[in-house]
Amino acid sequence: CKPFTVYIPNSTYWRRDFRRDFYKKELESISQKVGIKFINGESIIDKNDLKNYAPIGPHLSKEGYKKMSELISEKIQN
């Protein structure tokens, strides 16, 4: 089993959170310290684009989940 840490950015529309950048940096830092690969979902999920998020609430949309699953799959294969 090879664990990964994946950061999924929250929507700036549904859930603005001033702590998000700090959280992402800490998550990445801790992952590196313990030797777990960090995958940054910001590379494919635009936090300002509502198409990436569900119509109601801060969850990803089907399109957003598809993008994330493809990114994770790509990182696992590499």
Side-chain angles (χ1 to χ4, degrees):
C1 178
K2 188 174 183 180
F4 291 85
T5 303
V6 180
Y7 173 73
I8 301 172
N10 57 319
S11 168
T12 56
Y13 178 79
W14 287 115
R15 185 168 290 163
R16 294 181 189 125
D17 191 340
F18 67 93
R19 301 168 293 179
R20 93 174 148 247
D21 292 331
F22 173 77
Y23 174 74
K24 181 184 74 171
K25 288 177 186 174
E26 284 296 304
L27 192 61
E28 185 173 16
S29 174
I30 291 168
S31 296
Q32 288 176 351
K33 285 179 186 175
V34 297
I36 296 174
K37 184 171 178 90
F38 177 79
I39 300 172
N40 185 356
E42 284 184 322
S43 65
I44 48 112
I45 298 292
D46 180 352
K47 61 186 174 245
N48 298 308
D49 187 351
L50 285 177
K51 290 185 291 185
N52 291 311
Y53 298 93
I56 298 175
H59 304 285
L60 291 176
S61 64
K62 288 180 183 179
E63 181 180 336
Y65 279 120
K66 184 174 187 292
K67 287 179 179 181
M68 285 302 300
S69 64
E70 289 171 351
L71 176 66
I72 293 167
S73 178
E74 174 188 314
K75 298 295 183 180
I76 289 172
Q77 291 176 10
N78 291 337

